[in-house]
Amino acid sequence: MAGLEDVEQPRGHERVAAARWSPAVEDERALKALELFGNPTEGEVPLPSRPESAATARRLTQVVVLRQWGLSPRMTEDAVLLVSELVGNAVRHTGARVFGLRMRRRRGWIRIEVRDPSRGLPCLMPVQELDVSGRGLFLVDKLSDRWGVDLLPRGKTTWFEMRVADR
């Protein structure tokens, strides 16, 4: 799984702990990604279906959730981890050349979507404590408030939503 090298392994129904990262360190790279690829809140951002695109998607998520939407570092951390999992699945399992990233906010919720041209559905697998792979959707299921897949005429959109406090 992309970006989970230092993640504490989940146990039971406890909150999953992600590797700590510093938003300040990533600010410059995140702003550059926004400039180069576009703002995923204004429309779908197409990214090449390569492993290194996960870093771009994480940076875009960070700059939107933390800076543009002004949400907490913890919320940002969780959203960055989950977008990395959805992107990892799109890159590894779909055979696509490009995938799309989109972020939306409405009263009380944020929604992050990854669209790819495959109609193959992702599968939430049972996870054992010592498993080293297959945890992506498990993490999405545990950290998001809801998630799902919308089938499209040509492909699908896998998404997650998280509750947020409105100011």
Side-chain angles (χ1 to χ4, degrees):
M1 265 182 296
L4 290 181
E5 295 79 26
D6 298 315
V7 173
E8 178 181 314
Q9 299 303 313
R11 289 177 175 46
H13 294 288
E14 302 166 3
R15 185 154 179 83
V16 177
R20 296 284 175 213
W21 57 277
S22 170
V25 171
E26 284 294 312
D27 269 354
E28 186 177 323
R29 291 182 191 154
L31 291 170
K32 186 69 170 172
L34 196 63
E35 181 183 314
L36 289 173
F37 294 97
N39 189 330
T41 67
E42 296 171 359
E44 184 177 283
V45 171
L47 295 168
S49 189
R50 297 190 307 249
E52 55 270 21
S53 290
T56 302
R58 287 190 296 269
R59 288 181 181 121
L60 290 169
T61 302
Q62 179 236 318
V63 77
V64 167
V65 175
L66 186 65
R67 302 292 177 227
Q68 187 174 334
W69 290 341
L71 300 176
S72 72
R74 180 62 191 200
M75 173 72 65
T76 303
E77 205 174 289
D78 289 350
V80 165
L81 174 62
L82 299 187
V83 82
S84 187
E85 296 305 331
L86 294 188
V87 167
N89 285 346
V91 169
R92 274 190 302 279
H93 301 299
T94 67
R97 291 186 185 151
V98 174
F99 66 89
L101 176 66
R102 174 128 189 168
M103 299 180 199
R104 302 169 193 243
R105 182 168 183 186
R106 67 179 198 275
R107 187 173 187 83
W109 293 91
I110 65 169
R111 178 181 175 110
I112 299 179
E113 305 171 350
V114 174
R115 186 188 56 77
D116 65 69
S118 169
R119 287 182 53 88
L121 295 175
C123 184
L124 178 61
M125 303 294 289
V127 175
Q128 301 300 316
E129 193 170 323
L130 298 176
D131 288 348
V132 294
S133 66
R135 291 182 178 274
L137 286 179
F138 172 81
L139 291 171
V140 172
D141 189 58
K142 292 299 175 193
L143 293 177
S144 68
D145 289 292
R146 54 188 177 209
W147 69 276
V149 180
D150 297 331
L151 283 175
L152 306 170
R154 292 190 175 150
K156 68 180 174 296
T157 298
T158 307
W159 54 268
F160 66 87
E161 294 182 334
M162 301 168 83
R163 289 184 197 276
V164 298
D166 285 319
R167 298 174 192 224

